[in-house]
Amino acid sequence: MNSHDPFTLALSLILSGDPGLFGIIQLSLQVSLSAVLVASLIGLPLGAAIALFRFPGRGLVITLLNALMGLPPVVAGLLVYLSLSRAGPLGQFGLLFTPTAMVIAQTLLVLPIIAALTRQAIEDLWEEYREQLQSMGSGRVRAIPTLLWDARITLTTAVLAGFGRASAEVGAVLIVGGNIEGVTRVMTTAIALETSKGDLPLALALGLVLLALVAAVNAVAYLLGQASRRHMQ
Amino acid sequence: MRCFRRLPSIAALILLVAATSAQVTADTTFITLASTTSTDQSGLFRHLTPKFTERTGIEVRVVAVGTGQAFAIGRRGDADALLVHHRAGEDEFVAAGYGTERRDVMYNDFVLVGPRSDPAGVTGTQSIQDALARIAESESAFASRGDDSGTHRKELQLWAMADIAPAGRWYRQLGSGMGPTLNTAAAMDAYVLTDRGTWLSFGNRQNLIIVFEGDESLFNPYGSIPLNPERFEWVKADLAQQWHEWLVGEEGQAAIAEYHIDGEPLFFPMNTGAPSRVE
């Protein structure tokens, strides 16, 4: 680490093929993508259901969901910590300080974003297609998959916003994962650690690597979107 | 309700995620050690734990937090052993039945770090009490950890010994770890109390230098405590005991003694008849 230019350092970090760094990158992707997957499987149908159905307290649910988009990661981390701690309600599973705990915490952070944005997108679409779909005789439940599919471009953005939130947060994974080297250390906690050691160039270089990683995931999503658009034409 | 058809697949997926993660934890023998940022960031564990793993096959997973938080983790039974530095807190922890026993492991010392220009004129004072008094009198910026860590508890104890209740704009409670506190102190040219290990391995010193060191009351001993299996039945008592005994035994003590940064030892073993004071 004799170079003090973060860009050179970032490049040499990647090119050196350091297994430690690749382990951290792999875990970061594994944790954040798992969280986004679980949150999408719950959040997409949930958001669509809230958009289509009228029930008492709906306004409250929508407000709550929108507010939870701003849930501080540290608070999410604390809630999961207290639940998974040996002294907590889910203590017997021994999940604290494991990647699973990190996935749970990030799911909690990503779910409101995906559900709230899905709710908005589907509600707009429903206004537009309501009569058409109803004249085809499909009920609201039947309409959910159709609407989700039609809104997929917008929803991709919602899911990517969720991924951005997951891959950028440090507060939740630090508390529930413990930043254990080789076990629960991810990109963001590694950056925080190097910053506290005063190795600012290395911290910044790791930040650049993370940024490149997130950009790569977004590029893949973009290309897939383009491909599916061409496929439709 | 057709939408419930999704539920089994969601449940299956969650289980899958849990199972793959659990697999990672199931095929290795490990203990969880709650310890302090000062020991971890000095690089000591990277030097120590591979030697222990080689000898016993037990992996040591270090969760590095402030001493206060390490006690909190211990009181909930979320670790197997502690390695911390606050003697009174350690004795209390064992007396309350959370840990089986407390043993001396190693020590280093605290140093007072400050800007090279030394606006409070601390250099050359005879005691840490004098040094702190000069900082308070001149109202020079002082960065306090403010996070209930071992270092923070020590700092409060030193102010109390100097009969000063630090308050005012010059006394800045940062509420962060040792490294972040040093980063902030370096940026605002403040005095700060730090353990020597973190200082030696810290990379962003800017204008800061050691302005006071060597007082007997700056002694910083670390203690090891295995958690009590009678209180927490899930604790890996046998593995934690092996770690505890290795650490205070000949091999662990030798490994601690041989850890140096730039030719300077960071920690001194407690059980080799070494002098009880640094320098």
Side-chain angles (χ1 to χ4, degrees), chain B residues 12-150:
Chain B
L13 192 96
I14 294 172
L15 281 177
L16 190 76
V17 171
T20 44
S21 316
Q23 206 182 2
V24 179
T25 52
D27 54 13
T28 45
T29 314
F30 70 92
I31 57 167
T32 305
L33 175 71
S35 190
T36 69
T37 47
S38 53
T39 33
D40 189 47
Q41 290 180 6
S42 68
L44 179 71
F45 287 123
R46 210 176 266 193
H47 168 77
L48 277 189
T49 57
K51 291 182 194 292
F52 173 70
T53 308
E54 196 182 325
R55 165 73 64 186
T56 60
I58 304 167
E59 189 189 314
V60 182
R61 297 188 174 173
V62 181
V63 177
V65 290
T67 289
Q69 201 186 337
F71 283 135
I73 287 175
R75 278 195 299 271
R76 301 180 69 91
D78 288 326
D80 301 304
L82 306 185
L83 181 64
V84 286
H85 63 140
H86 185 248
R87 187 57 203 261
E90 290 160 25
D91 291 339
E92 201 182 301
F93 188 85
V94 173
Y98 298 117
T100 54
E101 62 162 355
R102 185 243 175 236
R103 295 270 287 274
D104 280 328
V105 174
M106 61 189 186
Y107 68 90
N108 65 0
D109 63 342
F110 292 103
V111 293
L112 186 65
V113 163
R116 202 177 297 273
S117 58
D118 194 16
V122 164
T123 317
T125 44
Q126 293 307 302
S127 70
I128 183 69
Q129 284 89 339
D130 274 355
L132 291 177
R134 288 199 186 185
I135 293 172
E137 272 160 34
S138 63
E139 303 208 335
S140 307
F142 185 94
S144 167
R145 290 277 296 272
D147 65 347
D148 192 33
S149 58

Side-chain angles (χ1 to χ4, degrees), chain A residues 116-221:
Chain A
L117 295 178
T118 303
R119 202 270 312 160
Q120 189 65 57
I122 298 298
E123 204 160 283
D124 295 347
L125 212 60
W126 177 242
E127 295 300 321
E128 219 175 299
Y129 291 119
R130 181 180 202 146
E131 287 181 13
Q132 198 185 336
L133 280 170
Q134 281 181 335
S135 71
M136 284 162 67
S138 55
R140 287 174 195 235
V141 174
R142 278 288 293 151
I144 289 181
T146 316
L147 288 169
L148 283 177
W149 179 248
D150 273 9
R152 64 188 178 284
I153 308 280
T154 317
L155 294 182
T156 307
T157 310
V159 170
L160 285 176
F163 176 71
R165 165 92 146 159
S167 55
E169 72 87 19
V170 59
V173 284
L174 190 60
I175 294 178
V176 304
N179 193 23
I180 302 169
E181 188 179 8
V183 183
T184 57
R185 183 163 299 166
V186 290
M187 289 301 288
T188 51
T189 57
I191 293 167
L193 178 66
E194 291 310 328
T195 307
S196 49
K197 280 154 85 173
D199 197 342
L200 307 188
L202 180 58
L204 200 54
L206 287 170
L208 289 172
V209 174
L210 177 61
L211 216 56
L213 212 61
V214 174
V217 171
N218 277 278
V220 169

Side-chain angles (χ1 to χ4, degrees), chain A:
Chain A
M1 305 293 162
N2 44 15
S3 166
H4 279 267
D5 168 23
F7 288 95
T8 326
L9 194 57
L11 207 64
S12 67
L13 271 178
I14 296 170
L15 295 180
S16 69
D18 176 31
L21 178 67
F22 279 94
I24 291 173
I25 290 176
Q26 194 193 342
L27 186 66
S28 285
L29 285 176
Q30 206 178 326
V31 167
S32 294
L33 288 174
S34 302
V36 169
L37 191 67
V38 176
S40 299
L41 286 171
I42 302 170
L44 292 172
L46 180 70
I50 296 171
L52 298 187
F53 291 98
R54 298 290 176 271
F55 50 90
R58 181 171 175 271
L60 190 73
V61 170
I62 292 174
T63 311
L64 201 67
L65 214 50
N66 288 342
L68 282 177
M69 286 201 282
L71 180 69
V74 178
V75 176
L78 258 179
L79 289 174
V80 174
Y81 175 86
L82 292 174
S83 313
L84 297 185
S85 164
R86 289 290 187 178
L90 302 172
Q92 75 267 32
F93 299 111
L95 287 176
L96 195 65
F97 305 139
T98 65
T100 309
M102 299 157 81
V103 172
I104 294 171
Q106 290 200 341
T107 302
L108 210 60
L109 288 173
V110 174
L111 182 59
I113 294 182
I114 294 181
L117 295 178
T118 303
R119 202 270 312 160
Q120 189 65 57
I122 298 298
E123 204 160 283
D124 295 347
L125 212 60
W126 177 242
E127 295 300 321
E128 219 175 299
Y129 291 119
R130 181 180 202 146
E131 287 181 13
Q132 198 185 336
L133 280 170
Q134 281 181 335
S135 71
M136 284 162 67
S138 55
R140 287 174 195 235
V141 174
R142 278 288 293 151
I144 289 181
T146 316
L147 288 169
L148 283 177
W149 179 248
D150 273 9
R152 64 188 178 284
I153 308 280
T154 317
L155 294 182
T156 307
T157 310
V159 170
L160 285 176
F163 176 71
R165 165 92 146 159
S167 55
E169 72 87 19
V170 59
V173 284
L174 190 60
I175 294 178
V176 304
N179 193 23
I180 302 169
E181 188 179 8
V183 183
T184 57
R185 183 163 299 166
V186 290
M187 289 301 288
T188 51
T189 57
I191 293 167
L193 178 66
E194 291 310 328
T195 307
S196 49
K197 280 154 85 173
D199 197 342
L200 307 188
L202 180 58
L204 200 54
L206 287 170
L208 289 172
V209 174
L210 177 61
L211 216 56
L213 212 61
V214 174
V217 171
N218 277 278
V220 169
Y222 178 77
L223 291 175
L224 285 177
Q226 291 296 89
S228 94
R229 232 175 262 204
R230 267 199 302 279
H231 188 71
M232 280 193 303
Q233 281 163 2

